[in-house]
Amino acid sequence: MRVDLSGHRFAFPNECACCGRTPEGELTVSASRSWGSRVVHTEVKSWDVPYCVRCLKHIRNTEAARTQIKLLTFLSLILGIVIWFRLDLFWGVALGMLALIGTVLVHRTKLYKLHAECDSESCVNIDRAVTYLGWQGTLHRFEIASQRFACNFMAANQSKLVNLTPEAMALLSSSGVLSASNASRSPRRYLS
């Protein structure tokens, strides 16, 4: 669920963003943007999101598996190119393709094990539950996988919510956080 907030400081609920347990650590989510042509300026903004130890473990293992697949894919391509130049095109392509298929199988096996290790009843996924999509001025955008965490995050920052999606409004209304008086309104237009 996408959550848009306007401000400089936001409160994160004291719960794991993935499973809802008591947090024992944090992971940083960040976004950057660059501008300028001759002198390039880069600005990075980041937020610390609370997670429990179990979720930190499966998130780090998922990120390690993602790094491993990139490395194995690169090595498979290098193997294919080296064999192509040493032997011939057919063997280079054939062995490169076999190495890529092996890489995909290894990655799928790792992901299957990570899903099995993850507490599927309470965890929303094996990856990070909160993504920082970036900002423009004081508008900050987050993508939150857990509806529970999203609802508590929006409730903690209710006065800073902007651009509420119908899904977010329904979630806040069903939890009793958003009353009819707090619903977003459009400006009136006067034509003369």
Tab-separated table of all heavy atoms in Angstrom, residues 78-96:
chain	number	residue	atom	x	y	z
A	78	ILE	N	30.370	-14.964	-18.376
A	78	ILE	CA	31.824	-14.968	-18.608
A	78	ILE	C	32.273	-16.364	-19.061
A	78	ILE	O	33.070	-16.490	-19.998
A	78	ILE	CB	32.586	-14.526	-17.331
A	78	ILE	CG1	32.290	-13.056	-17.018
A	78	ILE	CG2	34.080	-14.766	-17.471
A	78	ILE	CD1	32.742	-12.085	-18.076
A	79	LEU	N	31.740	-17.409	-18.421
A	79	LEU	CA	32.087	-18.776	-18.811
A	79	LEU	C	31.727	-19.033	-20.277
A	79	LEU	O	32.535	-19.567	-21.034
A	79	LEU	CB	31.376	-19.791	-17.912
A	79	LEU	CG	31.527	-21.256	-18.304
A	79	LEU	CD1	32.961	-21.716	-18.063
A	79	LEU	CD2	30.538	-22.114	-17.561
A	80	GLY	N	30.513	-18.613	-20.667
A	80	GLY	CA	30.089	-18.789	-22.052
A	80	GLY	C	30.986	-18.051	-23.035
A	80	GLY	O	31.355	-18.591	-24.086
A	81	ILE	N	31.382	-16.844	-22.699
A	81	ILE	CA	32.230	-16.041	-23.588
A	81	ILE	C	33.628	-16.651	-23.691
A	81	ILE	O	34.194	-16.754	-24.785
A	81	ILE	CB	32.290	-14.578	-23.098
A	81	ILE	CG1	30.924	-13.910	-23.298
A	81	ILE	CG2	33.374	-13.797	-23.822
A	81	ILE	CD1	30.774	-12.562	-22.627
A	82	VAL	N	34.189	-17.084	-22.557
A	82	VAL	CA	35.534	-17.679	-22.570
A	82	VAL	C	35.529	-18.960	-23.402
A	82	VAL	O	36.411	-19.179	-24.243
A	82	VAL	CB	36.025	-17.951	-21.128
A	82	VAL	CG1	37.254	-18.851	-21.113
A	82	VAL	CG2	36.318	-16.638	-20.431
A	83	ILE	N	34.533	-19.803	-23.211
A	83	ILE	CA	34.467	-21.061	-23.975
A	83	ILE	C	34.236	-20.753	-25.450
A	83	ILE	O	34.786	-21.447	-26.315
A	83	ILE	CB	33.361	-21.963	-23.407
A	83	ILE	CG1	33.675	-22.246	-21.962
A	83	ILE	CG2	33.147	-23.185	-24.274
A	83	ILE	CD1	33.837	-23.589	-21.469
A	84	TRP	N	33.461	-19.750	-25.741
A	84	TRP	CA	33.216	-19.366	-27.140
A	84	TRP	C	34.539	-19.017	-27.824
A	84	TRP	O	34.839	-19.468	-28.915
A	84	TRP	CB	32.226	-18.207	-27.177
A	84	TRP	CG	31.994	-17.599	-28.521
A	84	TRP	CD1	32.222	-18.146	-29.754
A	84	TRP	CD2	31.477	-16.299	-28.781
A	84	TRP	NE1	31.871	-17.278	-30.742
A	84	TRP	CE2	31.413	-16.126	-30.172
A	84	TRP	CE3	31.055	-15.253	-27.962
A	84	TRP	CZ2	30.943	-14.955	-30.771
A	84	TRP	CZ3	30.587	-14.103	-28.556
A	84	TRP	CH2	30.536	-13.955	-29.951
A	85	PHE	N	35.346	-18.188	-27.160
A	85	PHE	CA	36.621	-17.789	-27.748
A	85	PHE	C	37.632	-18.939	-27.756
A	85	PHE	O	38.452	-19.031	-28.673
A	85	PHE	CB	37.202	-16.574	-27.025
A	85	PHE	CG	36.535	-15.290	-27.404
A	85	PHE	CD1	35.868	-14.520	-26.455
A	85	PHE	CD2	36.558	-14.835	-28.715
A	85	PHE	CE1	35.252	-13.330	-26.806
A	85	PHE	CE2	35.947	-13.644	-29.071
A	85	PHE	CZ	35.291	-12.901	-28.117
A	86	ARG	N	37.621	-19.819	-26.754
A	86	ARG	CA	38.584	-20.920	-26.673
A	86	ARG	C	38.219	-22.088	-27.591
A	86	ARG	O	39.089	-22.681	-28.200
A	86	ARG	CB	38.696	-21.439	-25.237
A	86	ARG	CG	39.291	-20.445	-24.304
A	86	ARG	CD	40.763	-20.390	-24.528
A	86	ARG	NE	41.332	-19.426	-23.589
A	86	ARG	CZ	42.593	-19.161	-23.535
A	86	ARG	NH1	43.422	-19.761	-24.325
A	86	ARG	NH2	43.027	-18.276	-22.678
A	87	LEU	N	36.915	-22.436	-27.650
A	87	LEU	CA	36.492	-23.589	-28.447
A	87	LEU	C	35.741	-23.133	-29.692
A	87	LEU	O	36.311	-23.017	-30.758
A	87	LEU	CB	35.638	-24.539	-27.607
A	87	LEU	CG	36.350	-25.207	-26.422
A	87	LEU	CD1	35.379	-26.006	-25.600
A	87	LEU	CD2	37.501	-26.081	-26.901
A	88	ASP	N	34.451	-22.914	-29.526
A	88	ASP	CA	33.643	-22.390	-30.631
A	88	ASP	C	32.333	-21.835	-30.096
A	88	ASP	O	32.015	-21.964	-28.919
A	88	ASP	CB	33.411	-23.451	-31.721
A	88	ASP	CG	32.510	-24.594	-31.290
A	88	ASP	OD1	32.038	-24.580	-30.153
A	88	ASP	OD2	32.271	-25.496	-32.114
A	89	LEU	N	31.585	-21.225	-30.980
A	89	LEU	CA	30.343	-20.550	-30.601
A	89	LEU	C	29.336	-21.515	-29.998
A	89	LEU	O	28.704	-21.217	-28.980
A	89	LEU	CB	29.740	-19.834	-31.823
A	89	LEU	CG	28.397	-19.150	-31.605
A	89	LEU	CD1	28.546	-18.030	-30.593
A	89	LEU	CD2	27.849	-18.605	-32.914
A	90	PHE	N	29.154	-22.682	-30.597
A	90	PHE	CA	28.151	-23.631	-30.116
A	90	PHE	C	28.400	-24.015	-28.661
A	90	PHE	O	27.508	-23.964	-27.830
A	90	PHE	CB	28.131	-24.896	-30.997
A	90	PHE	CG	27.241	-25.969	-30.442
A	90	PHE	CD1	25.868	-25.862	-30.547
A	90	PHE	CD2	27.780	-27.071	-29.792
A	90	PHE	CE1	25.044	-26.832	-30.018
A	90	PHE	CE2	26.965	-28.050	-29.258
A	90	PHE	CZ	25.590	-27.934	-29.372
A	91	TRP	N	29.644	-24.441	-28.340
A	91	TRP	CA	29.949	-24.862	-26.981
A	91	TRP	C	29.884	-23.685	-25.997
A	91	TRP	O	29.466	-23.857	-24.852
A	91	TRP	CB	31.312	-25.536	-26.912
A	91	TRP	CG	31.279	-26.905	-27.504
A	91	TRP	CD1	31.847	-27.299	-28.673
A	91	TRP	CD2	30.608	-28.042	-26.976
A	91	TRP	NE1	31.580	-28.610	-28.918
A	91	TRP	CE2	30.813	-29.102	-27.879
A	91	TRP	CE3	29.855	-28.270	-25.836
A	91	TRP	CZ2	30.294	-30.360	-27.659
A	91	TRP	CZ3	29.339	-29.529	-25.621
A	91	TRP	CH2	29.557	-30.568	-26.526
A	92	GLY	N	30.251	-22.517	-26.431
A	92	GLY	CA	30.162	-21.338	-25.565
A	92	GLY	C	28.726	-21.024	-25.198
A	92	GLY	O	28.395	-20.797	-24.032
A	93	VAL	N	27.848	-21.026	-26.202
A	93	VAL	CA	26.437	-20.735	-25.947
A	93	VAL	C	25.816	-21.856	-25.121
A	93	VAL	O	25.067	-21.611	-24.165
A	93	VAL	CB	25.672	-20.532	-27.284
A	93	VAL	CG1	24.183	-20.466	-27.048
A	93	VAL	CG2	26.161	-19.267	-27.974
A	94	ALA	N	26.138	-23.129	-25.475
A	94	ALA	CA	25.552	-24.271	-24.770
A	94	ALA	C	25.947	-24.282	-23.295
A	94	ALA	O	25.086	-24.408	-22.410
A	94	ALA	CB	25.980	-25.570	-25.449
A	95	LEU	N	27.223	-24.135	-23.000
A	95	LEU	CA	27.670	-24.150	-21.604
A	95	LEU	C	27.215	-22.901	-20.848
A	95	LEU	O	26.892	-22.972	-19.665
A	95	LEU	CB	29.179	-24.317	-21.536
A	95	LEU	CG	29.684	-25.716	-21.924
A	95	LEU	CD1	31.205	-25.756	-21.912
A	95	LEU	CD2	29.122	-26.769	-20.998
A	96	GLY	N	27.192	-21.768	-21.530
A	96	GLY	CA	26.672	-20.550	-20.898
A	96	GLY	C	25.206	-20.701	-20.526
A	96	GLY	O	24.786	-20.312	-19.438
